[in-house]
Amino acid sequence: MLQVGLNPYGLTYHLGLQGHGTPRANPDGRGLEGFIQLAEELGAKTIEIFEPWIAALDDDAVAALKARLAALGMTPVVSSGLNHGPLDGAFRSAERLDAKLIRVCLTPVLCGDRNAAGETWHELVRGVHAALADCAPRAVSEGRTLVIENHQDFTADELVGLCEETEGGVGICYDTGNTLPVGEAPLDFTRRIAPWVRHVHLKDYNVQFTDEGFRLVRCAIGDGFVPFREVLAILAEHHDKLTAVLEPGALDVRHVRLLTQDWWNGYPPRSARSLAACLQAARRNRLADDADYRTPWERGEDGALVSYELDMIRRSVANMKAIGVMA
């Protein structure tokens, strides 16, 4: 069912995206070329490409890239976000590459922490509604779909609402690791959004409980809290085929402080049953409370980062092959 490949966000140090423009950036970052080579090595069938990489290429280079991906049997997805400004550039890149899907991150909010954004959260939501209302007709006219990601900011109900209020052109990019950050269990989240899913980010985390909530700690996909067999079975009830990409979590650990009262500011009421399901799901393959949760990036061990990222993506591939997600 899944046409699985890669996106660059689980390999940010290896590719030169982590710390870009700072002294800690990888001086040997492999960029787009290294990304394609790794995707080919791992047998990727889908490749989600960071939009600025495409924008930096001239027309001849884009034509060569398009032909190369076709020869490799990789379906391109353009990756962008409203936090980078209007989507005109993403539409242009999708047209040049003939990509039918444009993945869209909606806000800069992380860890479900709407309270940290204050009143800005409501402004962000209004901006999202306006941007999608403006861009959806263009997507329809061009035969493309804006796939909006649950990027640790919107709940399942809210994502479905954003899709329903547009007349086509908008679907969901489902990040499987990003249900807990908004206090929702993965299976509940999946059931709600499944009919609207058009693209999947296969992500996983080990959870470490804290006095304020829990940390989400990067791990190989399949080693964490996400029950992939069950999640994918739900998606299969609605879709014969979907594109998907492997994306281990960020090098910065996420702390979801949902056991504090202020964290819930900006959320609608939630049932105790729903929250209980979230907390129960978070206990699967959890880390010990006293385990060192830091990644090499957070420990300042930059020299270990390339092997750390590559080993994790290769273990993720092995895990997905073991459950029949990848050939």
Side-chain angles (χ1 to χ4, degrees):
M1 181 193 72
L2 293 186
Q3 184 178 319
V4 182
L6 290 182
N7 78 11
Y9 305 120
L11 298 153
T12 52
Y13 191 80
H14 173 61
L15 299 176
L17 298 176
Q18 186 78 14
H20 181 69
T22 74
R24 289 191 69 186
N26 180 6
D28 301 313
R30 298 296 308 281
L32 176 59
E33 178 57 33
F35 179 51
I36 296 172
Q37 289 178 4
L38 181 61
E40 182 179 7
E41 173 196 326
L42 299 177
K45 301 302 181 185
T46 297
I47 187 163
E48 185 179 319
I49 304 177
F50 184 50
E51 194 275 328
W53 281 342
I54 307 168
L57 301 176
D58 62 29
D59 289 343
D60 289 342
V62 171
L65 172 61
K66 179 180 173 181
R68 181 181 181 187
L69 297 181
L72 292 171
M74 296 182 192
T75 298
V77 176
V78 171
S79 191
S80 186
L82 294 178
N83 50 323
H84 299 303
L87 295 176
D88 290 343
F91 274 107
R92 285 194 296 272
S93 291
E95 180 181 12
R96 297 172 76 200
L97 206 55
D98 194 24
K100 302 304 181 185
L101 299 180
I102 301 173
R103 169 266 185 185
V104 181
C105 173
L106 296 175
T107 80
V109 169
L110 291 170
C111 307
D113 196 355
R114 301 175 180 188
N115 182 65
E119 287 303 311
T120 304
W121 169 250
H122 301 292
E123 296 174 10
L124 289 170
V125 173
R126 286 192 291 271
V128 167
H129 283 273
L132 294 180
D134 180 58
C135 293
R138 178 175 178 180
V140 171
S141 69
E142 294 185 8
R144 308 187 204 286
T145 303
L146 302 173
V147 286
I148 56 176
E149 183 179 350
N150 57 313
H151 200 261
Q152 304 191 359
D153 45 9
F154 285 99
T155 66
D157 280 344
E158 290 165 340
L159 288 169
V160 170
L162 289 168
C163 294
E164 289 178 336
E165 72 182 31
T166 60
E167 297 183 2
V170 177
I172 291 174
C173 169
Y174 178 26
D175 189 308
T176 59
N178 282 348
T179 70
L180 298 187
V182 292
E184 297 189 27
L187 298 185
D188 292 342
F189 201 103
T190 307
R191 292 186 189 99
R192 181 69 179 101
I193 68 168
W196 296 94
V197 173
R198 302 292 181 267
H199 182 53
V200 181
H201 283 181
L202 297 170
K203 184 188 288 177
D204 210 352
Y205 286 111
N206 291 132
V207 179
Q208 183 183 57
F209 282 84
T210 72
D211 290 342
E212 295 179 302
F214 47 75
R215 296 185 183 94
L216 299 175
V217 183
R218 174 189 174 116
C219 69
I221 299 154
D223 286 352
F225 80 89
V226 179
F228 280 102
R229 292 182 189 273
E230 294 89 339
V231 165
L232 298 178
I234 294 169
L235 293 178
E237 294 173 5
H238 298 270
H239 306 282
D240 293 329
K241 185 169 69 173
L242 288 168
T243 56
V245 290
L246 301 170
E247 185 195 351
L251 291 171
D252 299 287
V253 168
R254 309 303 192 194
H255 196 175
V256 181
R257 294 178 168 86
L258 54 62
L259 296 184
T260 64
Q261 292 186 16
D262 286 348
W263 183 90
W264 291 95
N265 291 337
Y267 282 92
R270 181 76 56 80
S271 74
R273 189 181 298 274
S274 170
L275 180 57
C278 168
L279 295 175
Q280 181 62 39
R283 296 178 64 80
R284 184 172 186 264
N285 292 330
R286 66 189 184 277
L287 289 183
D289 292 353
D290 59 353
D292 186 357
Y293 60 84
R294 298 171 300 164
T295 68
W297 174 259
E298 292 169 312
R299 293 195 297 266
E301 299 171 359
D302 294 9
L305 279 166
V306 169
S307 61
Y308 172 79
E309 289 185 329
L310 291 177
D311 289 349
M312 188 172 288
I313 201 70
R314 291 185 174 115
R315 177 168 174 79
S316 298
V317 169
N319 285 346
M320 293 299 98
K321 286 182 176 180
I323 63 171
V325 175
M326 296 181 71

